[in-house]
Every structure is written in C-alpha cells, then in structure tokens.
Amino acid sequence: MRVPRALFPLLSLALLLGLWEIAALWGGGRVLPTPGAVALALAREAESGALAHHLGVTLLRVLAAFVLALSVGVALGVPMGRSPLCDRLFGPWLVFFLNLPALVVIVLAYVWFGLTEAAAVGAVAVNKIPNTIVLVRAGARTIDEGLIEMARVYRMSRLDRLRHVLLPHLAPTIAAAARSGLALIWKIVLVVELLGRGDGVGFQINLLFQTFDVAGILAYSVAFVAVILLLEYGVLQPIERRCSRWRRSHAEA
Amino acid sequence: MLRLEIRSKRFGAVEALRGFALTAARGEVVALVGPSGCGKTTALGVVAGLDRDFDGTLSVAPGPDGRPPRIGMVFQEPRLLPWRTVRQNLALALPRALRRDPRIDATLALLDLSALADRFPGHLSLGMARRAALARALVVDPDLLLLDEPLVSLDEVTAQRLRALLARVLDGRPRTALLVTHNLREALALADRLLILAPSPGRVVAEIPIATPRAARDDAMVEALRADLLARADPVFRLLA
C-alpha cells in the first residue's frame, strides 16, 4: 500500500497519540491523563479565556526575546567571524556565556533589574545570544572572499554589501539559528514566567502544578507546541524557501 | 590614464613582482601575457585597488568632471552573486539611483543575455556566466576595464565567440583596458600592446605594440604574429609556446 507523502506527519502523530492513550490506560490515573482528558482540560481553559490570554502573553515574550537574540547575535557574530582580532578578543567571553546556566541568568536579571518585563525578556535573550553568535560566526567565516572583492571593486555601499552579499550568504545559518532558537526560547520563557511573572504559560503551569492538575499542564504544553509548529510551518519555512529560491534547479524555478 | 610602478610585491617570503612598471594611455588596451605564476593576476589586483600592500605607486586618472575613476572588472571566476538574478547582479554594480536605468537592459541585449536576465547564476553555463560578468563590468560604463583570463576554461567555440564579442565591445566605445592572459593568441587578437612577463619574481621582459586595428585582425593574421614572436631568438618567447 502506498501512503501519500503528506499524510506521514499525521500518521506519525496518530501513532504518538495511540501510544499515549495505551500508556495512560495501562498505568495512568491522575499522573498521566489520557489524550481525551487533556483535550477536555484544553476546552475548559479555552472557554474561560485563560488559554488565549496566557498563550498570547507568552508568545509576545517569545517573539520579543527571539528578535532581540537574533539581531544581537548577528550583529556580534558577523564581526567575530570576519575579524580574527575580534574573535580572539571576545571568544573567551563567548565560552563563558555559553556555559552560564539559564537559571543563573534569569535569577541575576531579576535581582539586578527587578521583576520586570524587560528583565524577563532580556534574560531569555541572553540565554540564546551566545548560541546564535557561534552559528553566525561560523557562517561568516565561510563567505566567498571573491564576492567581497567584487563588492569592493564595484564600490557597493556598506548597506548594499550587508543586504546583497552578507545576509543572503548567512540566510541558511540564520534560519538554523531561528529554528533552534524558537524551541529553546519558549522553554526558557516558561522558566522566566514561573520565577517572576504574574501571567503566561509558565505562570499558569506553576499554578496547575500546585493543584497537581497534570491534564491542565499537558493542555498548556500541547497548545503552545501547536503555536510553535504553526510559526515553524507558517512563517519560518516559507521565509526560508523564499530565501533559497536561487538554489533550486531551473526546472523547478 | 593608468600608471603603476611596483618596486616589490611580496607574499611572505616569496617575491611575486619586482621592478614592474605598467602604463596605459586613455583608450588603450594593454595585455599582460605570461605563464601562470608570473604575477599577472597579482598586478591586476593592485590596479583594482584590492591589494594595497605593495612597495610602489599606483595612479589612475580620475574620470571626466574629476570624479573617482569607475572600474569594471571581470574576474577569473565570474563572481556573480548566486542569490541574485543576472539583471539584479548588473543593477547592484550601479549606484542606487541607476538601478532601474535602461542601460541595464541595453547592456544585457548587447551581450545577448536578454533571455537569461531573470535566471540565477547557478543556472548558467560558464560561458553565459562570463558574459554576465562582462555585462556587469560594462554596465558601470568603466573608465578602466580589467579582464582576468576572460576566456579561460571555455570550450573552443564559446571562447571564439566571446573573443569576438570582446573585440566588438572594446572597439564600440574606446576604453582603457587591462587584459591578463596566458594565451598569446587571445592577447594578439585583443590588445593594442602586449607586455610579456616572466616568473620568479614576476617582471616585464618584453613589450610588443600591435599597429593593426583590432577589427582588421583575423585568425590568419593572429597566427602570423604569433609565429613571428615565437621565432624570436629571445628565450622569453619560448615561455609562451
């Protein structure tokens, strides 16, 4: 039997749900509710409006931290990839920040800057920035020097070099950083919310944890994963496809 | 128009050029001919302003109205931006105000590239990509045109066609040009004056002016000039055979 390609993700998802259902029926009870129970919890939260509110707040924090982390990461990663001096000077800092535990950054941010929105978003971004720098630095190192020379001979402006030489070259790197970034960032945002915010998915999960409402916890997780999947397929991938149009063979173009 | 004097140019311990002098009058096409490793491309990089780390002087006359000279360069590899179409590659060589100028389409047409204007460079053959690179060099209306082995690694027919095209372009509107090549026939067909280089360290060992106008040089004539050069007693010319 031939299964259409597009159905594979659905099949794979159905398999996961099936396994979950079996595990829940076998030894679940309160600790592992069935998918049905989670769906009910989801409906309950959606109806009260709590789901939309907390998802929205968390999503905004994720996006703010994401944009901040990517732009700072690119702005610092490019010079480090292009200039050996810059790399030697700041490379050790990078190792330091890469190995700084997320929890430490978050706690310190709250201690130093108070329990504010800026501290929360900033702390999340700081957790992602070193990783973005590492990726972008590696990407910037591999640029074709011939194209740089060409840009110099034709006196392209700095802005044009950035837009038409450097950034297109870095596009796959930035896409990779964005992919891994989105997943990492939303996980850290939850911790930030749990420790020092009065709303958001992380805050809500903390409440549900105190009442031992596992169905509710899973409902929020599933909902947010769905939002991230939507971003991945609805936004990131179309942008990536557009950026890599030139790679496709002529027959497809 | 162009005056270059390199007392010495080194890459670490290796001296690439020594006592190298080069001048080109306005509208003159000068060829640098020599075997690989004689510093031709190095000299071209210095003229292009890409390499300032040399002992010597370079002066390129400003354009009319005193603006800095515009340089059009065809590199050995086409060096087109792979993520921009052929037309965009031409446009990006121009200042922002001219990015939609009709000269872009005119230049594409001149080099027989109109049908390929919206293709990405990855979808072009090497011959087409070279033509696109040449179109980019011409679209800026250069005061100085630099050509680095523009016909190398092309099949015979494509090379012939591009050579004829270059000859037409160079005559169409007289331009100062510097042609780097290891191929004596190519230099004899295109240049007004040949500088023969010898390696280690690179230096000019002979200068050969060619009086016949480019349009009047056919294959037979190029062959005759070449045979004449190779028959000279100086061992320098054996480098070129």
Side-chain angles (χ1 to χ4, degrees):
Chain A
M1 187 184 77
R2 273 183 61 90
V3 183
R5 248 207 150 118
L7 280 182
F8 264 104
L10 290 178
L11 274 178
S12 150
L13 216 59
L15 183 67
L16 181 67
L17 281 176
L19 285 176
W20 175 3
E21 179 85 41
I22 291 168
L25 290 175
W26 193 43
R30 271 193 77 186
V31 190
L32 181 58
T34 60
V38 172
L40 279 180
L42 197 63
R44 185 192 71 213
E45 291 293 313
E47 210 166 357
S48 72
L51 184 72
H53 170 68
H54 293 296
L55 275 186
V57 169
T58 298
L59 188 61
L60 280 181
R61 288 187 187 125
V62 167
L63 292 181
F66 179 78
V67 170
L68 192 64
L70 276 192
S71 33
V72 174
V74 171
L76 297 179
V78 169
M80 283 182 73
R82 301 287 308 145
S83 147
L85 177 71
C86 195
D87 192 32
R88 274 199 297 276
L89 210 54
F90 299 108
W93 297 23
L94 197 56
V95 179
F96 175 78
F97 279 101
L98 268 173
N99 289 289
L100 202 58
L103 195 58
V104 172
V105 175
I106 296 165
V107 170
L108 286 181
Y110 279 149
V111 170
W112 289 338
F113 305 105
L115 295 175
T116 61
E117 201 61 54
V121 169
V124 177
V126 167
N127 276 299
K128 172 60 191 165
I129 287 169
N131 174 259
T132 309
I133 293 179
V134 169
L135 288 171
V136 171
R137 178 178 63 176
R141 277 181 185 148
T142 61
I143 192 162
D144 181 356
E145 292 300 325
L147 292 182
I148 306 264
E149 287 191 352
M150 181 280 294
R152 279 173 60 196
V153 168
Y154 288 105
R155 297 208 187 88
M156 283 170 71
S157 67
R158 289 184 78 89
L159 184 68
D160 280 338
R161 282 186 217 191
L162 188 70
R163 269 187 60 194
H164 301 290
V165 184
L166 200 57
L167 285 182
H169 168 78
L170 287 177
T173 309
I174 294 175
R179 283 270 176 74
S180 64
L182 203 57
L184 182 74
I185 282 173
W186 91 264
K187 290 171 191 170
I188 300 176
V189 164
L190 258 56
V191 179
V192 168
E193 289 174 344
L194 185 139
L195 287 176
R197 296 275 77 204
D199 52 8
V201 175
F203 168 80
Q204 199 65 6
I205 283 177
N206 195 20
L207 280 189
L208 294 165
F209 170 59
Q210 280 158 24
T211 57
F212 215 65
D213 184 351
V214 180
I217 292 174
L218 287 175
Y220 271 98
S221 316
V222 167
F224 209 79
V225 170
V227 170
I228 297 294
L229 275 180
L230 220 65
L231 280 180
E232 164 85 23
Y233 287 105
V235 182
L236 285 185
Q237 287 200 6
I239 291 178
E240 208 183 334
R241 267 200 299 279
R242 214 189 122 70
C243 288
S244 59
R245 253 179 327 163
W246 59 275
R247 272 181 217 282
R248 280 183 292 164
S249 71
H250 183 62
E252 289 174 68
Chain B
M1 171 69 208
L2 168 71
R3 181 179 298 277
L4 170 66
E5 206 186 319
I6 299 178
R7 282 184 289 279
S8 174
K9 163 71 199 171
R10 303 180 150 275
F11 292 106
V14 182
E15 190 167 40
L17 290 165
R18 184 197 296 163
F20 177 90
L22 162 69
T23 57
R26 200 170 287 279
E28 188 182 26
V29 180
V30 179
L32 301 181
V33 193
S36 57
C38 68
K40 308 176 297 253
T41 297
T42 304
L44 204 64
V46 169
V47 173
L50 292 172
D51 189 347
R52 299 205 164 92
D53 178 26
F54 66 98
D55 175 19
T57 51
L58 166 70
S59 85
V60 184
D65 63 29
R67 57 165 170 72
R70 277 194 299 256
I71 293 178
M73 186 161 182
V74 178
F75 301 88
Q76 228 173 90
E77 326 82 62
R79 295 193 187 178
L80 300 163
L81 296 171
W83 36 75
R84 297 288 181 261
T85 63
V86 170
R87 181 185 278 111
Q88 287 169 333
N89 264 285
L90 262 65
L92 287 170
L94 292 166
R96 197 167 288 270
L98 296 174
R99 297 255 163 99
R100 289 177 183 282
D101 201 82
R103 75 172 73 186
I104 296 173
D105 281 311
T107 310
L108 286 170
L110 176 73
L111 294 191
D112 201 13
L113 286 166
S114 302
L116 307 175
D118 295 317
R119 284 217 205 167
F120 289 106
H123 305 147
L124 301 177
S125 69
L126 180 61
M128 295 171 185
R130 279 269 171 70
R131 245 158 48 217
L134 179 60
R136 175 175 62 189
L138 292 175
V139 82
V140 302
D141 189 18
D143 302 302
L144 181 59
L145 182 62
L146 305 177
L147 307 164
D148 191 358
E149 299 276 9
L151 306 181
V152 81
S153 10
L154 295 177
D155 62 81
E156 193 54 39
V157 179
T158 314
Q160 283 285 351
R161 275 218 298 269
L162 191 54
R163 193 167 92 181
L165 189 64
L166 268 171
R168 235 177 34 235
V169 161
L170 290 170
D171 277 331
R173 172 187 169 306
R175 292 178 194 283
T176 317
L178 219 52
L179 166 71
V180 157
T181 177
H182 68 281
N183 183 323
L184 188 55
R185 286 191 186 89
E186 193 177 310
L188 290 169
L190 293 173
D192 300 315
R193 188 155 54 89
L194 271 57
L195 298 180
I196 312 291
L197 275 71
S200 41
R203 64 211 182 275
V204 178
V205 288
E207 183 174 348
I208 300 152
I210 301 175
T212 323
R214 233 180 318 278
R217 295 177 215 165
D218 54 14
D219 284 353
M221 177 158 203
V222 166
E223 284 309 321
L225 283 168
R226 178 168 177 271
D228 173 51
L229 280 181
L230 294 179
R232 293 196 191 178
D234 196 322
V236 157
F237 295 103
R238 236 153 284 149
L239 289 172
L240 304 169

